[in-house]
């Protein structure tokens, strides 16, 4: 059948498989997604989010309660403690796995029995918009597919990427320092398989169209279970061609576009997010022309924001903010400060100098953090900082400021919540969890430092006993609930960076209908700062007040005194909006 959908799919496939007869593959993909070939694509440049949207990132077992499955406990947490401050939840890989805390998937269509089952996942999906990982670049060496690869039978015989020691792999970009190729003994001899991340995570070969079909089948299954947001994990490395960098290749981008075409024809309100922890310019390419990822992670924000607060200077954060292009309607940034992995350093390349980077790493190390490395040429380069966000902000580069830790922590989140984009909180940032050094000793993995497991009882105690956990959590709840009511904080609302010196980071947001303005002003230093309101150009006919404290500012020419790390959201209007999360 000749329809707009079939023509669009053929156009994608001609880029991915230029030598193939792609007509039968088009029919197979449409059938696998159970699509009507005559279905129409949704309108372009349509925002599927608004200011109410706030995402939680968590493992399925980050919080546990004795005697019940962790996914049941997570649902209780979402229902009770977090119901009024979140619209969506990203449950990190909840499938059977062999390593990397879930990112070495054994079976894509099963739930790890220790966490629960698909019924538990679907229950959460009915309460919050559910984001799930599509671990698309690689699969566990203990999977049935890889066992079939070794036995030389289908499905799996030709599903994994192979290479030889004679191939030109000198330009391959790696996020790890382990060997790229791993020898594997198969029933017809030794083969060298491509392992971008670890020998247990064998890269899939999308040069085989049946691998693409298998993943489309997985996508359709997830949609049926209630998943509406797809995180394409490590997608930048998807396509490999010896003699190239094997990152961001044209076929990789086209696979993302094809998946979007298939998903939006069947589920027009589903969202694709690409996880590409790379320098900023490379990351931005995954928007395409509003026809690729709906949302991309703002990977440069964590290192620049944390560096800003440790150094007391917003020079680099401000330069970066001014250079960021506004996301087109129908696309958005996902803003976060910390994740389950750590604070990536590659996105700060060419933004921080070598001296600043060394000072940054040294400060984090003094606060108990660690450094993971990647291989570049013949040397290892710092790749990410492994540390909890709470401890990352323990002190400043010049030392002696640990008593201001909570103020720095809240300032970081206030900036993140106000910036253009959708805010996301890693669960251990929301609860101000400390470094888990015992878990690192147990697993011998740096990333375990920020993957603590709370008991529900201990967490509830910590959130009610006056601890820093309670102080941080209650302050963040107030900020989140305040933000969710303001149309000027819509992810696509106008943003301009203000010039208030190096110690004060500020920006202006205006709602899409221009009914509300917010001037977000943040003292990022450990000292008191003065800011003249006249430099902000407040409209004198409006009444201005701070959304955070309710304090009024009637004199547009007055001078503000900002305490260390104090933040203001100066607005001419306040809204008490009803919850309207990501469209269903």
């Amino acid at each position: 059948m000749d329809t707009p959908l079939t023509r669009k799919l053929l156009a994608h496939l001609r880029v991915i498989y230029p030598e193939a007869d792609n007509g039968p593959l088009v029919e197979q993909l449409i059938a696998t997604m159970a699509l009507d070939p005559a279905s129409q694509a949704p309108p372009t440049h349509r925002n599927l989010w608004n200011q109410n949207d706030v995402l939680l990132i968590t493992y399925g077992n980050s919080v546990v309660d004795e005697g019940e499955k962790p996914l049941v406990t997570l649902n209780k947490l979402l229902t009770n403690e977090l119901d009024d401050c979140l619209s969506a939840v990203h449950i990190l890989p909840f499938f059977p796995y062999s390593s990397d805390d879930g990112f070495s998937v054994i079976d894509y269509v099963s739930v790890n029995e220790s966490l629960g089952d698909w019924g538990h996942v679907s229950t959460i999906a009915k309460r919050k918009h559910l984001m799930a990982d599509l671990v698309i670049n690689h699969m566990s060496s203990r999977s049935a597919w890889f066992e079939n690869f070794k036995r030389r039978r289908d499905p799996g015989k030709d599903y994994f990427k192979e290479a030889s020691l004679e191939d030109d792999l000198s330009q391959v970009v790696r996020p790890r320092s382990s060997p790229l190729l791993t020898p594997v003994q198969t029933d017809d001899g030794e083969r060298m398989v491509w392992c971008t991340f670890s020998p247990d995570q064998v890269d899939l070969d999308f040069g085989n169209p049946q691998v693409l079909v298998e993943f489309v089948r997985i996508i359709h299954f997830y949609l049926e279970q209630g998943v509406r947001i797809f995180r394409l994990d490590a997608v930048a490395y998807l396509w490999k061609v010896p003699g190239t960098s094997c990152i961001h290749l044209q076929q990789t981008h086209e696979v993302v576009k094809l998946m979007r075409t298939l998903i939006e024809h069947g589920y027009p309100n589903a969202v694709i997010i690409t996880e590409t922890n790379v320098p900023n310019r490379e990351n931005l390419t995954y928007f395409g022309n509003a026809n690729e990822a709906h949302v991309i992670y703002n990977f440069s924000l964590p290192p620049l924001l944390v560096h800003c607060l440790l150094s007391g200077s917003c020079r680099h954060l401000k330069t970066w903010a001014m250079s960021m292009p506004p996301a087109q309607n129908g696309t958005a940034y996902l803003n976060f400060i910390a994740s389950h992995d750590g604070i990536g350093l590659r996105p700060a390349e060419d933004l921080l100098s070598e001296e600043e980077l060394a000072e940054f790493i040294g400060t984090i190390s003094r606060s108990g953090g660690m450094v993971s490395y990647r291989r570049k040429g013949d040397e290892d380069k710092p790749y990410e900082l492994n540390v909890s966000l709470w401890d990352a902000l323990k002190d400043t580069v010049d030392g002696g400021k640990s008593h201001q830790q909570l103020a720095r922590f809240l300032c970081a989140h206030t900036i993140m919540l106000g910036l253009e984009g959708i805010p996301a909180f890693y669960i251990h940032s929301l609860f101000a969890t400390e470094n888990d050094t015992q878990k690192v000793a147990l697993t011998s993995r740096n990333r375990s430092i920020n993957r603590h497991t709370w008991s529900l009882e201990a967490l509830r105690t910590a959130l009610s006993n006056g601890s820093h956990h309670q102080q941080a959590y209650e302050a963040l709840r107030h900020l989140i609930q305040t933000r969710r009511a303001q149309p000027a904080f819509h992810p696509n609302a106008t943003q301009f960076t203000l010039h208030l010196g190096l110690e004060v980071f500020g920006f202006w947001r205006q709602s899409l209908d221009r009914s509300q303005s917010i001037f977000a002003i943040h003292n990022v230093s450990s000292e008191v700062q003065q800011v003249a309101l006249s430099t902000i150009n407040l409209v004198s006919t409006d009444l201005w007040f701070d959304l955070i404290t309710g304090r009024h500012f009637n004199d547009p020419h007055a001078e503000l005194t900002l305490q260390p790390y104090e933040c203001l959201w100066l607005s001419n209007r306040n809204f008490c909006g009803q919850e309207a999360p990501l469209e269903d």
Side-chain angles (χ1 to χ4, degrees):
M1 180 181 291
D2 182 22
T3 69
L5 173 58
T6 59
R7 290 195 295 272
K8 193 170 185 179
L9 291 174
L10 274 173
H12 294 315
L13 293 172
R14 287 192 189 106
V15 175
I16 303 169
Y17 309 114
E19 305 300 324
D21 175 11
N22 291 307
L25 182 55
V26 166
E27 294 178 3
Q28 191 175 11
L29 293 173
I30 289 175
T32 301
M33 277 292 289
L35 297 179
D36 177 358
S39 63
Q40 298 296 311
T44 58
H45 303 296
R46 184 175 57 111
N47 292 326
L48 299 175
W49 40 78
N50 63 31
Q51 65 273 14
N52 286 281
D53 287 304
V54 179
L55 178 78
L56 176 73
I57 305 168
T58 181
Y59 280 100
N61 61 352
S62 290
V63 182
V64 297
D65 200 9
E66 188 175 354
E68 71 182 14
K69 294 293 187 180
L71 289 175
V72 176
T73 307
L74 175 58
N75 189 51
K76 286 198 306 191
L77 189 72
L78 294 171
T79 301
N80 299 318
E81 280 79 4
L82 302 176
D83 189 52
D84 59 352
C85 58
L86 299 170
S87 64
V89 58
H90 172 202
I91 308 177
L92 289 154
F94 46 81
F95 318 108
Y97 69 97
S98 55
S99 64
D100 200 16
D101 285 350
F103 285 94
S104 184
V105 179
I106 292 175
D107 181 359
Y108 288 102
V109 294
S110 296
V111 174
N112 187 334
E113 291 182 357
S114 68
L115 298 178
D117 56 35
W118 279 114
H120 298 131
V121 172
S122 296
T123 296
I124 292 173
K126 292 173 183 174
R127 175 168 294 279
K128 300 294 180 185
H129 290 277
L130 176 60
M131 181 157 99
D133 287 277
L134 193 66
V135 185
I136 196 170
N137 179 71
H138 49 262
M139 195 176 188
S140 169
S141 65
R142 290 173 50 193
S143 64
W145 284 357
F146 197 65
E147 284 300 317
N148 285 347
F149 173 85
K150 292 188 290 184
R151 300 292 171 259
R152 311 312 296 148
R153 62 192 181 202
D154 291 321
K157 180 170 68 75
D158 301 311
Y159 280 13
F160 295 91
K161 183 67 178 177
E162 299 179 53
S164 77
L165 297 176
E166 286 70 43
D167 288 332
D168 178 9
L169 306 178
S170 60
Q171 299 180 53
V172 175
V173 173
R174 298 287 312 288
R176 297 289 185 274
S177 56
S178 57
L180 175 63
L181 301 183
T182 299
V184 174
Q185 192 63 40
T186 74
D187 284 358
D188 61 4
E190 184 179 83
R191 291 171 178 264
M192 303 297 290
V193 294
W194 197 295
C195 299
T196 297
F197 289 88
S198 79
D200 185 46
Q201 295 166 296
V202 188
D203 286 34
L204 291 146
D205 185 1
F206 275 80
N208 178 355
Q210 286 310 302
V211 174
L212 175 62
V213 173
E214 292 281 9
F215 272 87
V216 171
R217 183 174 292 114
I218 292 165
I219 289 170
H220 184 250
F221 178 78
Y222 289 178
L223 287 164
E224 289 185 319
Q225 307 309 311
V227 174
R228 290 296 178 269
I229 310 172
F230 290 86
R231 177 184 183 268
L232 304 191
D233 176 66
V235 68
Y237 306 97
L238 186 71
W239 202 273
K240 292 92 177 171
V241 177
T244 74
S245 65
C246 300
I247 186 172
H248 315 311
L249 299 189
Q250 183 182 12
Q251 295 93 332
T252 293
H253 285 281
E254 205 67 34
V255 168
V256 178
K257 292 174 184 177
L258 180 143
M259 289 182 170
R260 172 163 173 169
T261 296
L262 290 168
I263 289 172
E264 68 184 7
H265 272 77
Y267 296 82
N269 294 317
V271 170
I272 289 177
I273 297 181
T274 48
E275 187 268 334
T276 48
N277 189 2
V278 294
N280 194 49
R281 287 189 178 183
E282 299 171 31
N283 188 36
L284 289 169
T285 63
Y286 284 85
F287 275 144
N289 186 21
N291 62 347
E292 201 164 332
H294 296 88
V295 180
I296 64 171
Y297 282 82
N298 224 341
F299 274 113
S300 294
L301 179 60
L304 293 180
L305 180 50
V306 174
H307 176 267
C308 165
L309 289 162
L310 297 186
S311 67
S313 169
C314 67
R315 179 191 302 275
H316 299 301
L317 182 65
K318 184 167 70 170
T319 300
W320 165 80
M322 288 189 295
S323 69
M324 286 294 284
Q328 298 182 56
N329 282 331
T331 67
Y333 297 108
L334 189 75
N335 294 329
F336 69 110
I337 313 176
S339 74
H340 60 289
D341 287 340
I343 300 171
L345 295 177
R346 280 211 73 204
E349 290 179 7
D350 303 323
L351 299 174
L352 299 179
S353 69
E354 290 294 327
E355 294 76 15
E356 289 168 328
L357 187 60
E359 185 179 57
F360 185 19
I361 292 172
T363 305
I364 295 294
S365 298
R366 290 196 302 273
S367 297
M370 295 175 288
V371 186
S372 293
Y373 293 85
R374 69 182 180 95
R375 177 60 53 87
K376 185 177 182 181
D378 296 327
E379 60 179 330
D380 290 339
K381 292 281 192 178
Y383 177 69
E384 69 183 12
L385 301 174
N386 304 116
V387 64
S388 75
L389 184 64
W390 172 254
D391 282 322
L393 294 167
K394 183 176 182 178
D395 209 345
T396 57
V397 295
D398 53 1
K401 304 296 191 304
S402 60
H403 64 287
Q404 296 172 327
Q405 184 177 11
L406 178 62
R408 269 191 298 277
F409 184 81
L410 295 177
C411 180
H413 284 99
T414 307
I415 291 172
M416 186 268 285
L417 281 164
L419 285 169
E420 175 193 350
I422 302 168
F425 285 83
Y426 182 45
I427 192 168
H428 293 306
S429 298
L430 189 61
F431 298 137
T433 308
E434 304 98 324
N435 288 338
D436 191 336
T437 53
Q438 290 183 342
K439 196 166 188 176
V440 173
L442 182 66
T443 66
S444 300
R445 296 195 303 268
N446 287 1
R447 285 178 167 180
S448 296
I449 200 168
N450 197 24
R451 297 179 181 180
H452 178 72
T453 298
W454 283 95
S455 76
L456 184 60
E457 180 181 3
L459 178 61
R460 285 177 168 167
T461 298
L463 298 181
S464 61
N465 63 2
S467 66
H468 79 266
H469 302 288
Q470 181 182 12
Q471 295 175 61
Y473 171 64
E474 291 183 352
L476 291 177
R477 281 179 60 89
H478 171 62
L479 288 169
I480 292 168
Q481 290 168 351
T482 300
R483 178 200 190 279
R484 297 182 80 191
Q486 316 306 325
F489 283 144
H490 186 288
N492 296 93
T494 299
Q495 176 175 300
F496 284 108
T497 306
L498 304 176
H499 296 278
L500 303 173
L502 296 182
E503 294 80 15
V504 179
F505 179 60
F507 49 88
W508 172 69
R509 303 294 308 279
Q510 185 182 61
S511 59
L512 297 174
D513 64 2
R514 301 186 181 182
S515 64
Q516 184 188 32
S517 287
I518 296 176
F519 290 89
I521 303 170
H522 321 84
N523 180 358
V524 298
S525 77
S526 60
E527 306 295 334
V528 174
Q529 300 296 328
Q530 304 290 332
V531 176
L533 284 178
S534 58
T535 63
I536 303 173
N537 295 322
L538 299 181
V539 177
S540 60
T541 55
D542 287 344
L543 298 176
W544 295 88
F545 57 95
D546 177 22
L547 292 167
I548 300 173
T549 64
R551 178 184 169 194
H552 284 258
F553 295 85
N554 297 320
D555 182 1
H557 303 289
E559 190 167 82
L560 293 178
T561 298
L562 296 176
Q563 297 302 313
Y565 307 108
E566 184 178 2
C567 305
L568 301 175
W569 283 344
L570 296 180
S571 179
N572 58 342
R573 294 188 68 182
N574 191 11
F575 292 81
C576 296
Q578 299 299 313
E579 183 168 349
L582 284 159
E583 295 181 17
D584 226 347

